[in-house]
């Protein structure tokens, strides 16, 4: 394949997917790692794309549209289930934990039904999963309801969360870019930051598509997490980069 044709194909790939990895380029174009990296560097210099760790991002890539709870619940299900299973294994009987919003966190909640723990959450979906499964003790914060994510936010939510202490906190996010943990809603981000500050241990549960992505509001720093639990589909270069910030557990 001629170089010009390769550059056109790579540009088309990144514009279609938003973000592509070097491994994807190597496999689809049947080229070496070095050639793929040189092509990406050249395309970035010519203003065709943005280089990110382990791949490239489209210049038009945007997270301005917040995906609904229903949209999120239909993607990466196998990966999210493995992540949730690993997170559940970290929780001991008698602990008080915080569970934030998100589909991966809901899968975690499903694995905690009937365990002797106390759960605090601002997610209506998580509350509905756990309520009625004794001896699990579950507390829903209340507050201003965001229907797009089935989550309570705002001053009432934050007041309740700030008064409580947790042995462990488990949250998700919309994107991780370097050390920044991001989400679409400022209010939702604030409501996750408070229990993280009040927890002894902090865990971020994200599938591998969330790395090298950025959304509107940076609400926490990757350095402050005990571990990120993600799936084993993560690009090796991306994994190496993010291990500089915290422990990454792949499942």
């Amino acid at each position: 394949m001629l170089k010009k044709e390769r550059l056109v194909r790579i540009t088309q790939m990144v514009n279609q997917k938003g973000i592509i990895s070097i491994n994807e380029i190597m496999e689809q174009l049947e080229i070496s790692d070095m050639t793929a990296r040189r092509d990406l560097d050249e395309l970035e210099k010519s203003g065709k794309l943005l280089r990110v760790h382990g791949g490239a991002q489209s210049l038009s890539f945007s997270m301005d549209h917040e995906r609904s709870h229903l949209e999120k619940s239909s993607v990466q299900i196998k990966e999210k289930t493995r992540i949730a299973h690993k997170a559940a294994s970290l929780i001991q009987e008698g602990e008080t934990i915080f569970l934030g919003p998100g589909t991966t966190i809901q899968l975690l909640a499903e694995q905690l039904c009937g365990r002797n723990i106390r759960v605090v959450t601002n997610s209506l979906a998580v509350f509905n999963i756990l309520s009625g499964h004794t001896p699990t003790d579950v507390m829903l914060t209340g507050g201003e309801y965001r229907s797009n994510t089935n989550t309570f936010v705002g001053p009432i939510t934050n007041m309740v969360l700030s008064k409580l202490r947790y042995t462990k906190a488990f949250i998700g996010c919309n994107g991780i870019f370097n050390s920044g943990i991001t989400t679409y809603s400022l209010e939702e981000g604030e409501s996750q930051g408070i229990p993280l500050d009040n927890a002894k241990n902090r865990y971020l549960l994200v599938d591998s598509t969330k790395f090298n992505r950025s959304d509107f509001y940076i609400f926490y720093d990757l350095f402050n997490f005990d571990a990120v639990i993600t799936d084993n589909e993560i690009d090796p270069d991306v994994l190496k980069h993010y291990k500089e910030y915290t422990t990454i557990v792949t499942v």
Side-chain angles (χ1 to χ4, degrees), residues 72-112:
K72 292 179 181 179
S73 64
S74 63
V75 296
Q76 308 294 119
I77 299 302
K78 291 181 179 179
E79 293 84 354
K80 291 176 180 179
T81 301
R82 296 201 306 270
I83 293 166
H85 181 75
K86 177 61 179 179
S89 72
L90 302 176
I91 299 170
Q92 307 298 316
E93 297 296 299
E95 287 193 315
T96 296
I97 67 170
F98 173 79
L99 297 182
T103 54
T104 306
I105 305 297
Q106 287 173 221
L107 291 169
L108 170 57
E110 290 175 0
Q111 300 193 34
L112 300 178

mmCIF file of all heavy atoms in Angstrom, residues 72-112:
data_model
loop_
_atom_site.group_PDB
_atom_site.id
_atom_site.type_symbol
_atom_site.label_atom_id
_atom_site.label_comp_id
_atom_site.label_asym_id
_atom_site.label_seq_id
_atom_site.Cartn_x
_atom_site.Cartn_y
_atom_site.Cartn_z
ATOM 1 N N LYS A 72 -25.824 3.696 27.351
ATOM 2 C CA LYS A 72 -24.626 3.171 27.999
ATOM 3 C C LYS A 72 -24.774 1.710 28.403
ATOM 4 O O LYS A 72 -23.800 0.955 28.424
ATOM 5 C CB LYS A 72 -24.300 4.011 29.241
ATOM 6 C CG LYS A 72 -23.847 5.423 28.926
ATOM 7 C CD LYS A 72 -23.579 6.197 30.211
ATOM 8 C CE LYS A 72 -23.148 7.614 29.935
ATOM 9 N NZ LYS A 72 -22.913 8.379 31.176
ATOM 10 N N SER A 73 -26.001 1.312 28.754
ATOM 11 C CA SER A 73 -26.224 -0.042 29.262
ATOM 12 C C SER A 73 -26.104 -1.109 28.186
ATOM 13 O O SER A 73 -26.085 -2.297 28.489
ATOM 14 C CB SER A 73 -27.605 -0.135 29.919
ATOM 15 O OG SER A 73 -28.630 0.069 28.965
ATOM 16 N N SER A 74 -26.005 -0.707 26.922
ATOM 17 C CA SER A 74 -25.977 -1.677 25.823
ATOM 18 C C SER A 74 -24.581 -1.882 25.242
ATOM 19 O O SER A 74 -24.435 -2.635 24.268
ATOM 20 C CB SER A 74 -26.933 -1.222 24.714
ATOM 21 O OG SER A 74 -26.517 0.021 24.172
ATOM 22 N N VAL A 75 -23.554 -1.258 25.822
ATOM 23 C CA VAL A 75 -22.200 -1.371 25.259
ATOM 24 C C VAL A 75 -21.226 -1.944 26.281
ATOM 25 O O VAL A 75 -21.371 -1.737 27.489
ATOM 26 C CB VAL A 75 -21.683 -0.004 24.762
ATOM 27 C CG1 VAL A 75 -22.521 0.508 23.610
ATOM 28 C CG2 VAL A 75 -21.658 1.028 25.887
ATOM 29 N N GLN A 76 -20.252 -2.715 25.772
ATOM 30 C CA GLN A 76 -19.160 -3.278 26.578
ATOM 31 C C GLN A 76 -19.680 -4.097 27.762
ATOM 32 O O GLN A 76 -19.084 -4.075 28.842
ATOM 33 C CB GLN A 76 -18.239 -2.157 27.095
ATOM 34 C CG GLN A 76 -17.719 -1.198 26.046
ATOM 35 C CD GLN A 76 -16.782 -1.837 25.048
ATOM 36 O OE1 GLN A 76 -17.062 -1.848 23.876
ATOM 37 N NE2 GLN A 76 -15.681 -2.377 25.510
ATOM 38 N N ILE A 77 -20.747 -4.850 27.580
ATOM 39 C CA ILE A 77 -21.381 -5.551 28.695
ATOM 40 C C ILE A 77 -20.454 -6.630 29.287
ATOM 41 O O ILE A 77 -20.312 -6.738 30.513
ATOM 42 C CB ILE A 77 -22.720 -6.181 28.267
ATOM 43 C CG1 ILE A 77 -23.676 -5.090 27.797
ATOM 44 C CG2 ILE A 77 -23.330 -6.970 29.430
ATOM 45 C CD1 ILE A 77 -23.956 -4.035 28.839
ATOM 46 N N LYS A 78 -19.830 -7.434 28.434
ATOM 47 C CA LYS A 78 -18.952 -8.498 28.938
ATOM 48 C C LYS A 78 -17.788 -7.921 29.729
ATOM 49 O O LYS A 78 -17.429 -8.424 30.807
ATOM 50 C CB LYS A 78 -18.434 -9.345 27.775
ATOM 51 C CG LYS A 78 -19.496 -10.186 27.092
ATOM 52 C CD LYS A 78 -18.896 -11.014 25.973
ATOM 53 C CE LYS A 78 -19.965 -11.872 25.295
ATOM 54 N NZ LYS A 78 -19.390 -12.679 24.174
ATOM 55 N N GLU A 79 -17.210 -6.859 29.186
ATOM 56 C CA GLU A 79 -16.069 -6.240 29.868
ATOM 57 C C GLU A 79 -16.500 -5.640 31.203
ATOM 58 O O GLU A 79 -15.819 -5.802 32.218
ATOM 59 C CB GLU A 79 -15.454 -5.153 28.989
ATOM 60 C CG GLU A 79 -14.780 -5.664 27.718
ATOM 61 C CD GLU A 79 -15.737 -5.884 26.558
ATOM 62 O OE1 GLU A 79 -16.963 -5.750 26.756
ATOM 63 O OE2 GLU A 79 -15.265 -6.203 25.462
ATOM 64 N N LYS A 80 -17.632 -4.952 31.205
ATOM 65 C CA LYS A 80 -18.127 -4.328 32.434
ATOM 66 C C LYS A 80 -18.468 -5.363 33.497
ATOM 67 O O LYS A 80 -18.258 -5.125 34.700
ATOM 68 C CB LYS A 80 -19.353 -3.468 32.122
ATOM 69 C CG LYS A 80 -19.043 -2.224 31.304
ATOM 70 C CD LYS A 80 -20.321 -1.464 30.952
ATOM 71 C CE LYS A 80 -20.027 -0.220 30.143
ATOM 72 N NZ LYS A 80 -21.268 0.502 29.773
ATOM 73 N N THR A 81 -18.971 -6.509 33.073
ATOM 74 C CA THR A 81 -19.312 -7.573 34.025
ATOM 75 C C THR A 81 -18.063 -8.122 34.699
ATOM 76 O O THR A 81 -18.061 -8.375 35.918
ATOM 77 C CB THR A 81 -20.071 -8.703 33.309
ATOM 78 O OG1 THR A 81 -21.266 -8.164 32.724
ATOM 79 C CG2 THR A 81 -20.455 -9.802 34.285
ATOM 80 N N ARG A 82 -16.993 -8.313 33.936
ATOM 81 C CA ARG A 82 -15.736 -8.785 34.531
ATOM 82 C C ARG A 82 -15.188 -7.756 35.516
ATOM 83 O O ARG A 82 -14.689 -8.113 36.590
ATOM 84 C CB ARG A 82 -14.697 -9.059 33.436
ATOM 85 C CG ARG A 82 -15.074 -10.177 32.483
ATOM 86 C CD ARG A 82 -13.833 -10.728 31.773
ATOM 87 N NE ARG A 82 -13.050 -9.713 31.097
ATOM 88 C CZ ARG A 82 -13.234 -9.332 29.839
ATOM 89 N NH1 ARG A 82 -14.208 -9.862 29.120
ATOM 90 N NH2 ARG A 82 -12.453 -8.415 29.281
ATOM 91 N N ILE A 83 -15.271 -6.498 35.146
ATOM 92 C CA ILE A 83 -14.799 -5.425 36.025
ATOM 93 C C ILE A 83 -15.590 -5.425 37.323
ATOM 94 O O ILE A 83 -15.029 -5.320 38.424
ATOM 95 C CB ILE A 83 -14.917 -4.062 35.317
ATOM 96 C CG1 ILE A 83 -13.942 -3.990 34.134
ATOM 97 C CG2 ILE A 83 -14.670 -2.909 36.283
ATOM 98 C CD1 ILE A 83 -14.219 -2.837 33.176
ATOM 99 N N ALA A 84 -16.897 -5.557 37.223
ATOM 100 C CA ALA A 84 -17.756 -5.561 38.411
ATOM 101 C C ALA A 84 -17.453 -6.753 39.307
ATOM 102 O O ALA A 84 -17.440 -6.630 40.547
ATOM 103 C CB ALA A 84 -19.219 -5.580 37.985
ATOM 104 N N HIS A 85 -17.214 -7.904 38.707
ATOM 105 C CA HIS A 85 -16.895 -9.101 39.489
ATOM 106 C C HIS A 85 -15.605 -8.909 40.290
ATOM 107 O O HIS A 85 -15.533 -9.283 41.466
ATOM 108 C CB HIS A 85 -16.759 -10.301 38.554
ATOM 109 C CG HIS A 85 -16.461 -11.588 39.257
ATOM 110 N ND1 HIS A 85 -17.401 -12.283 39.972
ATOM 111 C CD2 HIS A 85 -15.297 -12.280 39.381
ATOM 112 C CE1 HIS A 85 -16.844 -13.371 40.495
ATOM 113 N NE2 HIS A 85 -15.574 -13.387 40.146
ATOM 114 N N LYS A 86 -14.603 -8.318 39.665
ATOM 115 C CA LYS A 86 -13.345 -8.061 40.368
ATOM 116 C C LYS A 86 -13.564 -7.072 41.509
ATOM 117 O O LYS A 86 -13.040 -7.270 42.626
ATOM 118 C CB LYS A 86 -12.308 -7.506 39.387
ATOM 119 C CG LYS A 86 -10.978 -7.138 40.036
ATOM 120 C CD LYS A 86 -10.315 -8.349 40.674
ATOM 121 C CE LYS A 86 -8.979 -7.980 41.288
ATOM 122 N NZ LYS A 86 -8.319 -9.142 41.940
ATOM 123 N N ALA A 87 -14.331 -6.021 41.269
ATOM 124 C CA ALA A 87 -14.595 -5.031 42.313
ATOM 125 C C ALA A 87 -15.325 -5.662 43.495
ATOM 126 O O ALA A 87 -15.028 -5.368 44.660
ATOM 127 C CB ALA A 87 -15.403 -3.873 41.742
ATOM 128 N N ALA A 88 -16.286 -6.543 43.210
ATOM 129 C CA ALA A 88 -17.048 -7.197 44.279
ATOM 130 C C ALA A 88 -16.141 -8.024 45.185
ATOM 131 O O ALA A 88 -16.398 -8.131 46.390
ATOM 132 C CB ALA A 88 -18.142 -8.072 43.673
ATOM 133 N N SER A 89 -15.090 -8.580 44.613
ATOM 134 C CA SER A 89 -14.170 -9.414 45.409
ATOM 135 C C SER A 89 -13.353 -8.587 46.409
ATOM 136 O O SER A 89 -12.758 -9.149 47.325
ATOM 137 C CB SER A 89 -13.224 -10.184 44.483
ATOM 138 O OG SER A 89 -12.257 -9.308 43.884
ATOM 139 N N LEU A 90 -13.338 -7.269 46.248
ATOM 140 C CA LEU A 90 -12.568 -6.395 47.144
ATOM 141 C C LEU A 90 -13.371 -5.967 48.373
ATOM 142 O O LEU A 90 -12.813 -5.363 49.293
ATOM 143 C CB LEU A 90 -12.119 -5.142 46.390
ATOM 144 C CG LEU A 90 -11.260 -5.357 45.146
ATOM 145 C CD1 LEU A 90 -10.991 -4.022 44.468
ATOM 146 C CD2 LEU A 90 -9.949 -6.051 45.499
ATOM 147 N N ILE A 91 -14.661 -6.262 48.390
ATOM 148 C CA ILE A 91 -15.548 -5.784 49.446
ATOM 149 C C ILE A 91 -15.708 -6.853 50.517
ATOM 150 O O ILE A 91 -16.041 -8.006 50.218
ATOM 151 C CB ILE A 91 -16.922 -5.388 48.870
ATOM 152 C CG1 ILE A 91 -16.739 -4.256 47.842
ATOM 153 C CG2 ILE A 91 -17.883 -4.965 49.978
ATOM 154 C CD1 ILE A 91 -17.989 -3.955 47.039
ATOM 155 N N GLN A 92 -15.478 -6.464 51.780
ATOM 156 C CA GLN A 92 -15.557 -7.377 52.911
ATOM 157 C C GLN A 92 -16.883 -7.212 53.655
ATOM 158 O O GLN A 92 -17.513 -6.148 53.594
ATOM 159 C CB GLN A 92 -14.385 -7.127 53.870
ATOM 160 C CG GLN A 92 -13.020 -7.149 53.229
ATOM 161 C CD GLN A 92 -12.688 -8.494 52.602
ATOM 162 O OE1 GLN A 92 -12.950 -9.538 53.211
ATOM 163 N NE2 GLN A 92 -12.117 -8.475 51.408
ATOM 164 N N GLU A 93 -17.281 -8.264 54.352
ATOM 165 C CA GLU A 93 -18.505 -8.212 55.152
ATOM 166 C C GLU A 93 -18.404 -7.095 56.191
ATOM 167 O O GLU A 93 -17.353 -6.884 56.802
ATOM 168 C CB GLU A 93 -18.736 -9.548 55.852
ATOM 169 C CG GLU A 93 -18.959 -10.710 54.899
ATOM 170 C CD GLU A 93 -20.219 -10.546 54.074
ATOM 171 O OE1 GLU A 93 -21.313 -10.486 54.667
ATOM 172 O OE2 GLU A 93 -20.115 -10.468 52.831
ATOM 173 N N GLY A 94 -19.499 -6.379 56.405
ATOM 174 C CA GLY A 94 -19.551 -5.340 57.420
ATOM 175 C C GLY A 94 -19.056 -3.975 56.978
ATOM 176 O O GLY A 94 -19.121 -3.018 57.752
ATOM 177 N N GLU A 95 -18.591 -3.858 55.749
ATOM 178 C CA GLU A 95 -18.067 -2.575 55.290
ATOM 179 C C GLU A 95 -19.195 -1.609 54.910
ATOM 180 O O GLU A 95 -20.312 -2.018 54.590
ATOM 181 C CB GLU A 95 -17.147 -2.775 54.076
ATOM 182 C CG GLU A 95 -15.814 -3.397 54.427
ATOM 183 C CD GLU A 95 -14.821 -3.296 53.282
ATOM 184 O OE1 GLU A 95 -15.196 -3.564 52.120
ATOM 185 O OE2 GLU A 95 -13.665 -2.948 53.560
ATOM 186 N N THR A 96 -18.860 -0.321 54.960
ATOM 187 C CA THR A 96 -19.738 0.729 54.449
ATOM 188 C C THR A 96 -19.125 1.250 53.162
ATOM 189 O O THR A 96 -17.997 1.767 53.172
ATOM 190 C CB THR A 96 -19.887 1.884 55.451
ATOM 191 O OG1 THR A 96 -20.523 1.396 56.629
ATOM 192 C CG2 THR A 96 -20.726 3.015 54.862
ATOM 193 N N ILE A 97 -19.822 1.117 52.058
ATOM 194 C CA ILE A 97 -19.260 1.503 50.771
ATOM 195 C C ILE A 97 -20.161 2.517 50.073
ATOM 196 O O ILE A 97 -21.365 2.577 50.317
ATOM 197 C CB ILE A 97 -19.043 0.287 49.851
ATOM 198 C CG1 ILE A 97 -20.387 -0.332 49.440
ATOM 199 C CG2 ILE A 97 -18.150 -0.740 50.520
ATOM 200 C CD1 ILE A 97 -20.259 -1.378 48.347
ATOM 201 N N PHE A 98 -19.557 3.318 49.216
ATOM 202 C CA PHE A 98 -20.301 4.220 48.350
ATOM 203 C C PHE A 98 -20.271 3.675 46.940
ATOM 204 O O PHE A 98 -19.213 3.287 46.428
ATOM 205 C CB PHE A 98 -19.707 5.628 48.355
ATOM 206 C CG PHE A 98 -20.351 6.535 47.335
ATOM 207 C CD1 PHE A 98 -21.572 7.116 47.593
ATOM 208 C CD2 PHE A 98 -19.744 6.785 46.108
ATOM 209 C CE1 PHE A 98 -22.195 7.931 46.653
ATOM 210 C CE2 PHE A 98 -20.346 7.599 45.158
ATOM 211 C CZ PHE A 98 -21.575 8.174 45.437
ATOM 212 N N LEU A 99 -21.441 3.665 46.299
ATOM 213 C CA LEU A 99 -21.546 3.298 44.888
ATOM 214 C C LEU A 99 -22.123 4.475 44.120
ATOM 215 O O LEU A 99 -23.217 4.949 44.424
ATOM 216 C CB LEU A 99 -22.453 2.081 44.700
ATOM 217 C CG LEU A 99 -22.010 0.763 45.351
ATOM 218 C CD1 LEU A 99 -22.996 -0.345 45.017
ATOM 219 C CD2 LEU A 99 -20.607 0.374 44.905
ATOM 220 N N GLY A 100 -21.394 4.950 43.129
ATOM 221 C CA GLY A 100 -21.851 6.060 42.312
ATOM 222 C C GLY A 100 -22.763 5.602 41.186
ATOM 223 O O GLY A 100 -23.167 4.449 41.118
ATOM 224 N N PRO A 101 -23.099 6.502 40.279
ATOM 225 C CA PRO A 101 -23.933 6.154 39.131
ATOM 226 C C PRO A 101 -23.128 5.443 38.053
ATOM 227 O O PRO A 101 -21.903 5.436 38.075
ATOM 228 C CB PRO A 101 -24.428 7.514 38.646
ATOM 229 C CG PRO A 101 -23.318 8.446 39.022
ATOM 230 C CD PRO A 101 -22.778 7.938 40.326
ATOM 231 N N GLY A 102 -23.848 4.849 37.100
ATOM 232 C CA GLY A 102 -23.180 4.242 35.954
ATOM 233 C C GLY A 102 -23.520 2.777 35.796
ATOM 234 O O GLY A 102 -23.831 2.070 36.758
ATOM 235 N N THR A 103 -23.439 2.298 34.560
ATOM 236 C CA THR A 103 -23.838 0.923 34.263
ATOM 237 C C THR A 103 -22.886 -0.108 34.852
ATOM 238 O O THR A 103 -23.321 -1.182 35.275
ATOM 239 C CB THR A 103 -23.951 0.727 32.744
ATOM 240 O OG1 THR A 103 -22.732 1.129 32.104
ATOM 241 C CG2 THR A 103 -25.094 1.551 32.175
ATOM 242 N N THR A 104 -21.593 0.176 34.893
ATOM 243 C CA THR A 104 -20.653 -0.767 35.501
ATOM 244 C C THR A 104 -20.904 -0.877 36.999
ATOM 245 O O THR A 104 -20.848 -1.975 37.571
ATOM 246 C CB THR A 104 -19.200 -0.329 35.239
ATOM 247 O OG1 THR A 104 -18.997 -0.154 33.838
ATOM 248 C CG2 THR A 104 -18.223 -1.371 35.755
ATOM 249 N N ILE A 105 -21.201 0.248 37.635
ATOM 250 C CA ILE A 105 -21.496 0.240 39.069
ATOM 251 C C ILE A 105 -22.780 -0.540 39.335
ATOM 252 O O ILE A 105 -22.912 -1.244 40.346
ATOM 253 C CB ILE A 105 -21.600 1.672 39.613
ATOM 254 C CG1 ILE A 105 -20.333 2.476 39.298
ATOM 255 C CG2 ILE A 105 -21.840 1.644 41.121
ATOM 256 C CD1 ILE A 105 -19.071 1.944 39.940
ATOM 257 N N GLN A 106 -23.757 -0.453 38.440
ATOM 258 C CA GLN A 106 -24.985 -1.225 38.605
ATOM 259 C C GLN A 106 -24.705 -2.729 38.538
ATOM 260 O O GLN A 106 -25.288 -3.507 39.290
ATOM 261 C CB GLN A 106 -25.997 -0.844 37.533
ATOM 262 C CG GLN A 106 -26.617 0.523 37.746
ATOM 263 C CD GLN A 106 -27.485 0.930 36.590
ATOM 264 O OE1 GLN A 106 -27.481 2.066 36.160
ATOM 265 N NE2 GLN A 106 -28.244 -0.006 36.056
ATOM 266 N N LEU A 107 -23.824 -3.132 37.653
ATOM 267 C CA LEU A 107 -23.444 -4.540 37.576
ATOM 268 C C LEU A 107 -22.751 -4.980 38.859
ATOM 269 O O LEU A 107 -22.920 -6.125 39.310
ATOM 270 C CB LEU A 107 -22.539 -4.771 36.365
ATOM 271 C CG LEU A 107 -23.214 -4.634 34.999
ATOM 272 C CD1 LEU A 107 -22.177 -4.603 33.890
ATOM 273 C CD2 LEU A 107 -24.203 -5.766 34.775
ATOM 274 N N LEU A 108 -21.985 -4.081 39.457
ATOM 275 C CA LEU A 108 -21.380 -4.370 40.759
ATOM 276 C C LEU A 108 -22.466 -4.545 41.814
ATOM 277 O O LEU A 108 -22.421 -5.483 42.621
ATOM 278 C CB LEU A 108 -20.423 -3.240 41.148
ATOM 279 C CG LEU A 108 -19.884 -3.255 42.580
ATOM 280 C CD1 LEU A 108 -19.162 -4.564 42.891
ATOM 281 C CD2 LEU A 108 -18.958 -2.059 42.810
ATOM 282 N N ALA A 109 -23.456 -3.651 41.819
ATOM 283 C CA ALA A 109 -24.540 -3.733 42.795
ATOM 284 C C ALA A 109 -25.260 -5.076 42.702
ATOM 285 O O ALA A 109 -25.639 -5.662 43.738
ATOM 286 C CB ALA A 109 -25.519 -2.579 42.580
ATOM 287 N N GLU A 110 -25.455 -5.590 41.501
ATOM 288 C CA GLU A 110 -26.135 -6.871 41.319
ATOM 289 C C GLU A 110 -25.386 -8.010 42.013
ATOM 290 O O GLU A 110 -25.998 -8.977 42.474
ATOM 291 C CB GLU A 110 -26.294 -7.178 39.831
ATOM 292 C CG GLU A 110 -27.295 -6.267 39.124
ATOM 293 C CD GLU A 110 -27.353 -6.519 37.631
ATOM 294 O OE1 GLU A 110 -26.607 -7.410 37.148
ATOM 295 O OE2 GLU A 110 -28.127 -5.835 36.943
ATOM 296 N N GLN A 111 -24.066 -7.882 42.109
ATOM 297 C CA GLN A 111 -23.257 -8.917 42.736
ATOM 298 C C GLN A 111 -23.165 -8.756 44.249
ATOM 299 O O GLN A 111 -22.570 -9.597 44.926
ATOM 300 C CB GLN A 111 -21.862 -8.939 42.111
ATOM 301 C CG GLN A 111 -21.890 -9.215 40.622
ATOM 302 C CD GLN A 111 -20.527 -9.556 40.064
ATOM 303 O OE1 GLN A 111 -19.700 -10.173 40.721
ATOM 304 N NE2 GLN A 111 -20.287 -9.169 38.816
ATOM 305 N N LEU A 112 -23.740 -7.691 44.775
ATOM 306 C CA LEU A 112 -23.681 -7.431 46.215
ATOM 307 C C LEU A 112 -24.991 -7.714 46.929
ATOM 308 O O LEU A 112 -25.061 -7.592 48.149
ATOM 309 C CB LEU A 112 -23.279 -5.965 46.451
ATOM 310 C CG LEU A 112 -21.933 -5.533 45.889
ATOM 311 C CD1 LEU A 112 -21.692 -4.054 46.160
ATOM 312 C CD2 LEU A 112 -20.791 -6.373 46.459
#
